[in-house]
Amino acid sequence: MAKKKKKFIKYNQTIRKIFGGEGFDEGITRVPLDNLIEMAMILSLKEQHLTKADLVRAFRRLWSSGDVADRALITEYLKSLDTTFKSDKSVTSNEARMEKIDEILAQIEHTPAEEVALKEQFEEVRLKKITPKRIAKALLKLRNAKKRSRLEEAFDGSFDEAGRFLFFHSFRFRIFEEDFHKIVQLTCMPFEDEEIAHLDEAALKERLKQCKEKAIEKKRREIDLFLQKASGPNRYLSQEEVLQTIKRIPEECDFLFVPVPEPFLRRILFEQFEISEAEMLAESIRLFRDMEKTLFGKEEWRVRYKLVLEVQKRWLYQSIWDNAPLQIDEDFELRRVEVEAQFDAELAALKSALLHEAEGLDLHEEEIETIIAHAIIDAIARKEILEIPYKTLKTINRHFARQIEGLKLKKQREELLARTIRDFKNLFPLAREMDRRLIFHVGPTNSGKTYAAMERLKKADTGYYLAPLRLLALEGYETLLKSGIPASLVTGEEQLIDEEAAHISSTIEMANYQIEVDVCVIDEVQMIDDPDRGWAWANAIIGIPAHTVIMTGSEDALEAVKELASWLEEDLEVVRFERKAPLILHHHPASLKKLEPSTAIVAFSRRDVLAFKEQLSGRYDVSVVYGNLSPEVRREEARRFREGESQILVATDAIAMGLNLPIKTILFARDSKFDGQSRRLLTPSEIRQIAGRAGRYGLHEEGYVGALTAPVLQTVTELIDEPAPPIRGPYRVMANFEHIELIAKIIETESLSEILGFFVKHMRFDGPFVAANIENMLEIAKMVDLYHLDLKSKYHLACAPLSLGSPYLESVFHRYLIALERKEPIPFAVPEDLPGIAQTSDMLFEAEERVKEISLYLWLSYRFPDAFVDTQNALQAREILNRFIERSLRKGVFARACKRCGKPLPPHFRFGICQECFRGGRQIKR
């Protein structure tokens, strides 16, 4: 289709050249009758002996039919005549243009110079496009340009294309008893064209003078604040280096993030940390560290590789000038754990695949490890990257296939699914049969958008609430019940079904696309951009069978919702909501010794949350919330805070969604977080989403936002009002079991990892969609493929809420798989060995992991009821463990324990072993 379109464009362009710029329908009338008859004979037209008018009509029909071959013959024949059939209309003379311009200018005041300039400007413009409106607009532009030119000359600056006035000013810098001046570029607010046109030059000059003075004063304050910070002692830069850096400050400089020269950055990084190489990029620095790892735990197979960590320059500059610790080592360690875990998973998957291929053959596991190791060691040595290169993987598989009974036939996988599930929206036939109406409630946190949607849901005869979290689904369920509306609750691990109920509250992944309802509320629709879970929102928007679909979300999701509504060809109504309680920013950092009740401190790791809890517990009753806690414990901690049993809440950004809390003040403990790849500053969207929890409408008239340190407060102040970029496609969509079955039949395999890999690699969809990110599901699929289970069981198991990276949970999951393969019942024992409270952070973490195990057990019990038979014990165990965690959070002290001797470590201690064990280890090495 694309090639055909390109040919049409090419033929149309050629025809316009032949007909003097006009199209085929106009130009064909100027071709002589003899040529028309000859062309009709070439194309075997019946009308070859008719009149010219008949032939013209016949050729117009032929051209408009869109046949590529006919257009090609017509174009080639007309080109062969080697002439152009131009229109007989005479070209408008220059005199006519000038007369029309004179006629228009006679009605407008103007100068001779302006008249000359306008005539030059319209010299080659077509006569009909010379209108009073266009002349007036061009005249206004000329006059504005002259005014700007005079202003530029008077104030020694220049206007840019946006109308902003740019100028330079010399500032005095005094630091370390040195005085010098630096020229800095400043910017004034833009002047609109209307202002330039309607204000006289005296008023413009006065306005520009005031604007310059304000800009100079603002920049002076920024410079003074920076010099005050820079004049103090700095662990990274000497006084001479500080002076050199300031003297090198560029003319365009943001004094919140003053750049440090590259030589100084390199010295700091190489002196402070074990770094083999640093690559300077435009906005970041790529750091390299030499590392070693053994394959399959054998010392003789040790490989060396380079670990890469990318650090934002802005964060680095800010930390250096704030004299703050650089968390490079911690981030390197997090990155190492992630990279090596990924590599180990790839290695295990490759080994499992080869073992599966060799099943029933006389080939030992050690031989397979040797084949893999010899190929991979050389590949890693060449690239210095800890990964299995694709070419190496192919080589291993090819050689291995030859070794075991020769080459096996490859399965044909191409072109088989494109015809069946390419049009994704038609995979939801019930929704397509309905005349759906889409409504988007858009607004910030605490604006009442979800409340309004729920009120609409309550009035409907039948309804569905789709929540992003189990906690919110439970909240929606209880809201319906409190309003006297019978309802059912459906989550992955809990199903409370009322057969008489016409309303359902559900987590979004558990949405049922076979139930038709009047109203469906899809909450937090901006989650469509989430790389792991966004598919659930895309699937729901496309396929939920509701007559009215109400979505709630933030402003950045508006473009995405509009795009999907347009693609679905469904009507969309956008309803805007404003925040009910204003947010007020603190001007000074808050002190931990003087916190007001209803204050929430936001950190970004479990370790920091527990450390702050320990630090504050002597002065306040403290509740804590972080992602690793079960929904029940999070809810209980939220209840304690809501009902005044605790005055302070310490939480991760888990509070940004899913908890309605009476928070008056939000305090940021940090302005950066480790996102799995690198440590980075918080984004404006993250800051707004968290800050928006302050000032609960009806409880607090105003919300307050601050920070525990000046640098963090500065970052929050700077970024909180910065607009977030709109979410745009492509959007991720997920295969359901029907798709999986279809792929399995086509590629003739029962290997779920192969099926999912095929889906990700080969599926292409009409519309703004791509296959969802299912890395977690793929990893679980590789595990379940090791066991003899049917495809449907494998699919359900791969969807299980299993936290990869937890050795404990992975071992539990393998135990479940063994029992399912053997068709044995899987019991669950109630814990009996719990102390009163957790003594250490590690003990608390173990309890949290056991609650996750229970969640996994209950989730699987709904898919495999004949195997997971002890649901009552699991529920009882969850209640016992949750009470233990709740007691521990209220009364416990969560010092981390030394990994060698078990002694408690100090709060915020950076390392995993205590100083005594570290010194003892060094003495042994010596």
Side-chain angles (χ1 to χ4, degrees):
M1 182 62 75
K3 289 182 179 179
K4 184 177 179 182
K5 189 174 181 181
K6 287 181 180 178
K7 287 181 179 179
F8 280 179
I9 293 170
K10 179 182 175 183
Y11 295 146
N12 286 336
Q13 290 172 343
T14 305
I15 285 297
R16 285 191 176 276
K17 289 179 183 177
I18 294 170
F19 291 150
E22 292 189 328
F24 183 85
D25 286 352
E26 295 82 7
I28 193 65
T29 60
R30 299 196 292 276
V31 178
L33 179 59
D34 291 345
N35 296 127
L36 290 176
I37 292 172
E38 187 177 357
M39 190 161 58
M41 292 173 67
I42 292 171
L43 274 78
S44 301
L45 287 183
K46 295 178 182 178
E47 293 85 344
Q48 57 188 346
H49 299 299
L50 299 180
T51 64
K52 181 174 180 178
D54 292 328
L55 287 168
V56 166
R57 282 195 294 273
F59 280 118
R60 282 175 173 169
R61 284 197 305 273
L62 197 64
W63 185 267
S64 64
S65 69
D67 185 277
V68 176
D70 289 341
R71 288 198 179 189
L73 286 171
I74 293 170
T75 305
E76 289 304 316
Y77 174 77
L78 293 173
K79 279 175 66 179
S80 71
L81 299 177
D82 197 22
T83 185
T84 56
F85 302 94
K86 292 185 178 178
S87 171
D88 293 332
K89 297 176 184 176
S90 59
V91 180
T92 304
S93 68
N94 192 49
E95 289 79 3
R97 287 194 192 89
M98 297 303 108
E99 286 176 8
K100 189 167 184 181
I101 292 171
D102 288 336
E103 182 183 334
I104 294 170
L105 288 177
Q107 309 299 320
I108 304 172
E109 290 186 14
H110 64 280
T111 65
E114 289 172 341
E115 181 177 335
V116 171
L118 286 169
K119 286 182 176 180
E120 287 178 356
Q121 187 173 340
F122 285 85
E123 189 174 10
E124 296 189 7
V125 176
R126 293 173 65 182
L127 188 63
K128 68 178 182 180
K129 291 196 175 182
I130 300 175
T131 63
K133 185 175 180 181
R134 293 189 70 180
I135 293 288
K137 187 175 180 181
L139 186 58
L140 177 63
K141 194 170 182 181
L142 280 173
R143 291 172 177 172
N144 281 355
K146 287 182 179 179
K147 276 189 178 182
R148 285 196 175 96
S149 179
R150 290 193 290 273
L151 288 171
E152 288 175 344
E153 186 176 349
F155 286 92
D156 194 19
S158 62
F159 287 94
D160 64 8
E161 292 181 356
R164 296 176 302 179
F165 187 73
L166 310 179
F167 66 97
F168 293 92
H169 185 78
S170 178
F171 289 92
R172 180 188 177 193
F173 284 69
R174 179 171 177 79
I175 185 169
F176 303 140
E177 300 182 357
E178 280 206 32
D179 255 325
F180 54 92
H181 283 75
K182 285 194 65 66
I183 295 174
V184 177
Q185 180 176 302
L186 299 158
T187 305
C188 279
M189 293 297 290
F191 284 84
E192 301 293 339
D193 281 341
E194 291 184 6
E195 292 179 278
I196 298 287
H198 293 104
L199 292 177
D200 60 29
E201 289 196 28
L204 286 172
K205 286 181 178 179
E206 180 59 29
R207 164 112 183 252
L208 189 52
K209 178 184 174 184
Q210 293 176 3
C211 185
K212 282 187 66 174
E213 289 173 353
K214 287 180 182 177
I216 292 168
E217 177 58 28
K218 181 182 177 184
K219 187 61 70 174
R220 178 73 267 171
R221 287 197 301 270
E222 289 179 10
I223 291 171
D224 288 344
L225 285 171
F226 169 71
L227 291 177
Q228 183 181 356
K229 184 192 297 184
S231 61
N234 192 294
R235 70 176 79 182
Y236 304 110
L237 299 170
S238 66
Q239 284 192 6
E240 180 60 30
E241 288 172 332
V242 170
L243 273 172
Q244 287 185 43
T245 300
I246 294 174
K247 288 178 180 179
R248 293 185 193 179
I249 288 175
E251 291 176 342
E252 292 184 66
C253 181
D254 183 348
F255 282 87
L256 296 173
F257 305 98
V258 173
V260 177
E262 183 179 322
F264 298 166
L265 281 181
R266 286 185 176 275
R267 177 188 58 73
I268 292 167
L269 292 169
F270 280 94
E271 283 181 359
Q272 298 268 337
F273 308 104
E274 292 182 17
I275 296 169
S276 61
E277 186 182 340
E279 181 184 347
M280 297 292 172
L281 306 176
E283 301 294 333
S284 60
I285 304 174
R286 197 171 285 155
L287 305 178
F288 297 83
R289 178 174 285 183
D290 292 333
M291 305 294 293
E292 291 187 350
K293 178 172 175 55
T294 60
L295 303 183
F296 302 112
K298 296 181 180 179
E299 284 296 324
E300 64 267 27
W301 292 336
R302 181 175 290 276
V303 294
R304 292 179 175 82
Y305 70 96
K306 287 189 181 296
L307 186 64
V308 184
L309 179 71
E310 196 160 316
V311 178
Q312 264 190 357
K313 282 185 178 177
R314 280 164 61 101
W315 171 74
L316 196 56
Y317 296 155
Q318 185 184 37
S319 298
I320 289 172
W321 291 118
D322 290 340
N323 208 20
L326 301 177
Q327 297 172 299
I328 302 293
D329 282 334
E330 293 92 327
D331 291 353
F332 257 124
E333 178 60 17
L334 290 169
R335 185 72 181 135
R336 182 196 66 79
V337 170
E338 181 185 2
V339 168
E340 292 191 0
Q342 177 65 30
F343 176 75
D344 287 340
E346 291 176 1
L347 205 60
L350 176 57
K351 178 180 170 181
S352 298
L354 298 188
L355 281 170
H356 180 72
E357 290 289 327
E359 188 175 358
L361 303 175
D362 188 18
L363 197 64
H364 298 293
E365 188 173 331
E366 291 77 11
E367 294 177 79
I368 293 175
E369 289 179 353
T370 303
I371 293 168
I372 295 171
H374 287 170
I376 290 176
I377 288 172
D378 292 338
I380 294 173
R382 285 194 302 272
K383 290 193 171 184
E384 296 185 306
I385 300 173
L386 192 64
E387 65 177 17
I388 306 174
Y390 180 66
K391 287 185 179 179
T392 303
L393 191 63
K394 283 185 68 176
T395 302
I396 292 171
N397 282 322
R398 186 169 60 249
H399 291 172
F400 190 72
R402 288 174 183 166
Q403 188 173 341
I404 57 168
E405 300 177 345
L407 292 172
K408 290 186 176 181
L409 295 175
K410 291 186 178 181
K411 297 179 178 73
Q412 298 300 315
R413 299 183 176 187
E414 300 294 341
E415 301 179 1
L416 296 173
L417 293 182
R419 296 189 302 273
T420 53
I421 59 175
R422 188 180 183 93
D423 190 352
F424 193 77
K425 66 175 179 290
N426 289 333
L427 296 174
F428 303 94
L430 187 55
R432 298 290 74 78
E433 291 169 5
M434 301 172 69
D435 184 18
R436 298 195 314 166
R437 180 188 175 206
L438 306 181
I439 302 174
F440 185 27
H441 287 190
V442 59
T445 308
N446 201 9
S447 60
K449 56 185 182 296
T450 303
Y451 174 81
M454 292 300 290
E455 289 300 300
R456 182 78 174 269
L457 179 67
K458 292 175 187 177
K459 294 175 183 176
D461 292 334
T462 58
Y464 215 147
Y465 171 60
L466 298 180
L469 301 170
R470 176 171 164 248
L471 199 58
L472 271 180
L474 180 59
E475 208 170 88
Y477 170 70
E478 292 176 343
T479 299
L480 292 169
L481 293 183
K482 286 177 184 176
S483 300
I485 300 170
S488 296
L489 173 68
V490 179
T491 69
E493 57 189 82
E494 189 172 18
Q495 296 187 14
L496 304 177
I497 306 298
D498 182 347
E499 299 294 343
E500 303 298 322
H503 287 70
I504 301 171
S505 182
S506 165
T507 46
I508 194 161
E509 284 88 351
M510 298 296 292
N512 189 328
Y513 295 94
Q514 309 304 319
I515 298 178
E516 181 179 334
V517 294
D518 294 321
V519 174
C520 175
V521 175
I522 304 176
D523 208 0
E524 304 289 359
V525 77
Q526 71 275 4
M527 288 289 288
I528 196 173
D529 198 38
D530 187 275
D532 297 315
R533 299 180 62 210
W535 63 267
W537 277 263
N539 282 27
I541 294 171
I542 296 166
I544 203 70
H547 293 283
T548 301
V549 180
I550 305 176
M551 296 161 279
T552 73
S554 54
E555 183 73 29
D556 54 348
L558 180 57
E559 290 303 317
V561 172
K562 285 182 177 179
E563 184 178 11
L564 288 174
S566 174
W567 180 76
L568 291 167
E569 297 179 345
E570 294 179 335
D571 293 334
L572 171 66
E573 177 187 354
V574 178
V575 183
R576 293 189 173 275
F577 289 77
E578 299 296 330
R579 182 177 169 84
K580 295 183 179 296
L583 276 179
I584 299 173
L585 276 169
H586 284 176
H587 297 298
H588 304 288
S591 169
L592 290 177
K593 297 179 181 179
K594 298 178 181 179
L595 297 178
E596 293 185 0
S598 301
T599 294
I601 296 173
V602 182
F604 293 94
S605 69
R606 176 182 181 274
R607 186 178 73 176
D608 282 354
V609 167
L610 294 179
F612 276 117
K613 193 267 181 188
E614 180 184 351
Q615 194 173 349
L616 293 169
S617 290
R619 298 187 185 91
Y620 315 96
D621 288 324
V622 181
S623 289
V624 298
V625 172
Y626 49 88
N628 207 48
L629 293 176
S630 69
E632 292 80 14
V633 175
R634 271 183 275 172
R635 195 172 187 217
E636 171 60 16
E637 289 295 290
R639 183 203 62 76
R640 291 181 58 236
F641 182 73
R642 187 166 50 249
E643 296 181 6
E645 293 179 19
S646 61
Q647 298 86 45
I648 306 299
L649 173 68
V650 184
T652 62
D653 46 352
I655 65 164
M657 187 188 303
L659 290 172
N660 290 319
L661 297 166
I663 299 172
K664 183 178 181 181
T665 304
I666 288 279
L667 297 177
F668 286 80
R670 293 186 183 275
D671 58 2
S672 63
K673 64 186 286 189
F674 188 81
D675 62 6
Q677 298 294 325
S678 65
R679 181 165 294 278
R680 59 166 176 81
L681 288 174
L682 298 176
T683 66
S685 292
E686 289 169 334
I687 289 175
R688 277 195 297 276
Q689 186 75 12
I690 296 167
R693 310 307 295 181
R696 200 73 214 161
Y697 180 67
L699 295 173
H700 302 296
E701 295 300 319
E702 297 169 330
Y704 295 87
V705 180
L708 297 181
T709 64
V712 175
L713 181 60
Q714 194 169 3
T715 302
V716 171
T717 304
E718 170 122 2
L719 299 182
I720 193 168
D721 291 324
E722 190 172 308
I727 297 168
R728 300 191 187 281
Y731 310 104
R732 298 169 182 85
V733 290
M734 174 70 89
N736 58 31
F737 182 65
E738 286 72 22
H739 307 158
I740 297 297
E741 275 191 313
L742 183 59
I743 297 171
K745 290 175 183 175
I746 291 171
I747 66 176
E748 299 178 355
T749 183
E750 288 288 304
S751 169
L752 183 60
S753 58
E754 282 190 42
I755 295 168
L756 293 175
F758 180 86
F759 177 80
V760 171
K761 184 176 179 181
H762 294 287
M763 282 315 304
R764 300 292 181 269
F765 301 98
D766 292 332
F769 303 109
V770 292
N773 175 16
I774 53 172
E775 290 181 9
N776 197 72
M777 193 176 180
L778 268 168
E779 292 305 312
I780 301 176
K782 292 173 184 176
M783 295 168 64
V784 301
D785 274 341
L786 300 174
Y787 299 87
H788 295 291
L789 299 167
D790 63 87
L791 186 60
K792 190 169 186 178
S793 296
K794 288 182 179 181
Y795 175 76
H796 286 318
L797 289 163
C799 294
L802 173 64
S803 299
L804 292 174
S806 168
Y808 172 72
L809 290 175
E810 287 187 21
S811 67
V812 167
F813 192 62
H814 276 291
R815 178 161 52 83
Y816 292 167
L817 293 174
I818 292 168
L820 286 170
E821 185 181 49
R822 295 175 179 173
K823 295 182 171 54
E824 297 174 350
I826 303 169
F828 197 96
V830 177
E832 298 177 354
D833 56 345
L834 292 176
I837 61 172
Q839 304 299 316
T840 66
S841 172
D842 291 340
M843 189 182 295
L844 180 65
F845 181 76
E846 288 175 10
E848 293 165 2
E849 291 289 274
R850 292 175 75 178
V851 173
K852 285 185 180 181
E853 176 193 355
I854 295 168
S855 296
L856 177 63
Y857 188 95
L858 292 172
W859 192 95
L860 291 169
S861 71
Y862 287 107
R863 282 82 184 166
F864 305 96
D866 295 335
F868 295 85
V869 294
D870 277 350
T871 55
Q872 290 305 314
N873 278 359
L875 290 168
Q876 184 182 349
R878 184 170 69 180
E879 187 177 347
I880 292 169
L881 284 164
N882 281 335
R883 284 203 304 266
F884 170 73
I885 294 170
E886 290 163 11
R887 288 196 307 272
S888 300
L889 291 175
R890 286 199 300 271
K891 302 176 183 179
V893 176
F894 304 110
R896 290 184 302 132
C898 171
K899 291 181 179 179
R900 290 188 184 172
C901 68
K903 291 180 181 178
L905 296 173
H908 302 292
F909 194 66
R910 295 169 59 191
F911 305 104
I913 60 174
C914 64
Q915 288 285 3
E916 290 77 9
C917 290
F918 176 69
R919 293 193 189 101
R922 290 181 65 180
Q923 289 172 2
I924 291 169
K925 287 181 180 178
R926 289 173 187 168

